[in-house]
Amino acid sequence: MDIFEIILGSYESFVIGIKFRYKSQKSKELELVQSFNDHVHQASIRSVACSSKYMVSSSTDETIEVYNMVRRCHVHTILQHNGTVTSLAFTPDESHLISTSDDGSIAMFETGTWKIKKLWDKAHKGLAVAHLAVHPSGKLALSVGKDKTLRTWNLVKGRPAYTTNHSSMSAYYFFDKIIWSPAGQYYALPLNTKLIIYNVETAGIALTIEINEKIHGVTFLMENLICFGSENGSLHCYDIIKKERIWEMKIGDIRVKCLIKVDNWLVTALSDGHVTVWKLNDSKKPVESCSLFLDCRITCIACNNSFIKSKNIKNEESEEEVEIKNDIIVGVSQPKETQKVKRILSINDHQNKKIKSCMKKKKSFSSNWTVSDE
């Protein structure tokens, strides 16, 4: 019995699916099993994101790949950006996908048709945009870039709201990640060995955490509890209201690259390929449930939100046809054309293979995906 599915991106340009499940219907023993891997990108994966139907991945190859995770197939390629696509985010209502890039732009696409609806071509004064995160309400988003500013975007009116200059915080580093709390009361900004948490209501700093190692992989366990990994393989948890550390534990000897909370579980991924699921217990230390070694360098993580839905859908209508047209936006150049690719994922647990063996094969696509002749 499957519980949830995690999507991972790797430096070796693989997109990987991992199922967290019971070993059998009668057993209470849990395990992690690789469900698929895909090698459609030609360079390292930078970001993955999921809606209730789609999964998207971006890469340093400047493309965004779209997958229908209900039908388990690749359906579309977006070729909008002229630089590394640094982050991807769906709006909470899943009507739009927002991407950021090293080319200095932020683009908004309509989900399903994947037509571009809005483009800010110089979102951070033309410098690289590192990351964007949408508020849980869907009304605003925050972005950070190499211009060392935090910019607020009004998603209702589709325009920038205001800018906060953070250049005084560091002469050598810039913010490259934004993490919202579940209710949107707080947002966290990691900056090398610091983690700065802001309160939206007061517009001030709620808590500043500083450790001796570089901070990686940040997630909120609760509205007031934040968890992050470090360069030396440790996990840390802090209470924002009490302004104190709740627990700390060593989970490996290499950096904790990314974290994600799924229901009452915490999933950690070390940069060397070790993926572990932990059982959360309020403010106590989590307990290890099971782990899996992928033998690849993990770069990003997301949860497949369509996984539960897909189990209840047996038959759907014929393969979706995506109509690709160009929208002309005043003041910007016409977006590039996209490519339509149809590739079906064969779901068979006996066909799962190790990433290492797949990397030895000099093919564009992994054997888990088949390419149609259409």
Side-chain angles (χ1 to χ4, degrees), residues 99-162:
S99 62
T100 64
S101 173
D102 276 348
D103 64 12
S105 67
I106 297 177
M108 180 179 286
F109 305 92
E110 183 180 51
T111 303
T113 65
W114 310 110
K115 295 189 297 184
I116 187 165
K117 308 304 286 187
K118 192 71 178 179
L119 178 66
W120 296 280
D121 56 348
K122 294 183 179 179
H124 281 256
K125 299 180 181 179
L127 297 178
V129 185
H131 195 261
L132 179 142
V134 182
H135 188 269
S137 68
K139 295 181 180 180
L140 62 91
L142 298 178
S143 67
V144 287
K146 286 190 175 180
D147 62 346
K148 297 184 179 180
T149 64
L150 173 73
R151 295 180 183 262
T152 304
W153 303 88
N154 186 327
L155 298 183
V156 177
K157 297 181 179 180
R159 65 188 186 190
Y162 52 88

Side-chain angles (χ1 to χ4, degrees), residues 259-276:
L259 312 172
I260 189 171
K261 178 181 180 290
V262 184
D263 296 330
N264 293 321
W265 307 92
L266 175 67
V267 184
T268 62
L270 303 184
S271 58
D272 65 352
H274 278 94
V275 181
T276 306

Side-chain angles (χ1 to χ4, degrees), residues 17-277:
I18 298 177
K19 288 182 179 179
F20 178 54
R21 67 183 190 182
Y22 291 101
K23 286 189 174 182
S24 65
Q25 292 183 349
K26 296 182 180 180
S27 174
K28 292 184 178 180
E29 191 174 355
L30 298 165
E31 65 176 354
L32 284 172
V33 178
Q34 184 183 322
S35 54
F36 74 87
N37 63 72
D38 185 39
H39 200 193
V40 67
H41 285 289
Q42 302 304 311
S44 62
I45 310 299
R46 288 295 299 271
S47 179
V48 287
C50 296
S51 68
S52 62
K53 184 177 181 180
Y54 296 102
M55 184 269 288
V56 290
S57 61
S58 70
S59 168
T60 56
D61 65 7
E62 304 179 0
T63 67
I64 301 172
E65 303 294 345
V66 183
Y67 303 79
N68 183 320
M69 295 307 289
V70 177
R71 299 189 180 98
R72 311 290 284 185
C73 63
H74 175 279
V75 295
H76 199 58
T77 299
I78 300 174
L79 300 173
Q80 169 62 33
H81 295 288
N82 292 315
T84 297
V85 184
T86 53
S87 72
L88 298 167
F90 283 99
T91 55
D93 63 0
E94 302 181 358
S95 62
H96 293 84
L97 168 70
I98 305 176
S99 62
T100 64
S101 173
D102 276 348
D103 64 12
S105 67
I106 297 177
M108 180 179 286
F109 305 92
E110 183 180 51
T111 303
T113 65
W114 310 110
K115 295 189 297 184
I116 187 165
K117 308 304 286 187
K118 192 71 178 179
L119 178 66
W120 296 280
D121 56 348
K122 294 183 179 179
H124 281 256
K125 299 180 181 179
L127 297 178
V129 185
H131 195 261
L132 179 142
V134 182
H135 188 269
S137 68
K139 295 181 180 180
L140 62 91
L142 298 178
S143 67
V144 287
K146 286 190 175 180
D147 62 346
K148 297 184 179 180
T149 64
L150 173 73
R151 295 180 183 262
T152 304
W153 303 88
N154 186 327
L155 298 183
V156 177
K157 297 181 179 180
R159 65 188 186 190
Y162 52 88
T163 302
T164 305
N165 194 326
H166 285 149
S167 59
S168 61
M169 290 190 176
S170 175
Y172 305 102
Y173 302 100
F174 61 92
F175 293 114
D176 60 358
K177 193 76 68 177
I178 309 167
I179 305 93
W180 283 106
S181 62
Q185 182 180 353
Y186 303 100
Y187 63 90
L189 299 172
L191 182 66
N192 197 29
T193 59
K194 289 184 180 181
L195 181 62
I196 306 170
I197 304 163
Y198 287 84
N199 188 318
V200 175
E201 293 181 359
T202 63
I205 297 176
L207 177 64
T208 299
I209 302 167
E210 186 168 9
I211 61 175
N212 295 325
E213 303 285 339
K214 185 176 181 180
I215 293 174
H216 298 275
V218 182
T219 189
F220 280 86
L221 303 183
M222 294 167 48
E223 190 65 21
N224 64 310
L225 290 184
I226 191 165
C227 180
F228 60 90
S230 63
E231 189 78 18
N232 66 353
S234 296
L235 274 182
H236 308 257
C237 182
Y238 281 78
D239 190 310
I240 300 172
I241 298 176
K242 295 180 180 179
K243 301 182 184 297
E244 62 182 19
R245 186 171 62 192
I246 303 301
W247 51 260
E248 178 183 353
M249 56 190 292
K250 184 84 168 177
I251 65 171
D253 297 322
I254 196 168
R255 76 174 65 94
V256 182
K257 185 62 179 179
C258 42
L259 312 172
I260 189 171
K261 178 181 180 290
V262 184
D263 296 330
N264 293 321
W265 307 92
L266 175 67
V267 184
T268 62
L270 303 184
S271 58
D272 65 352
H274 278 94
V275 181
T276 306
V277 178

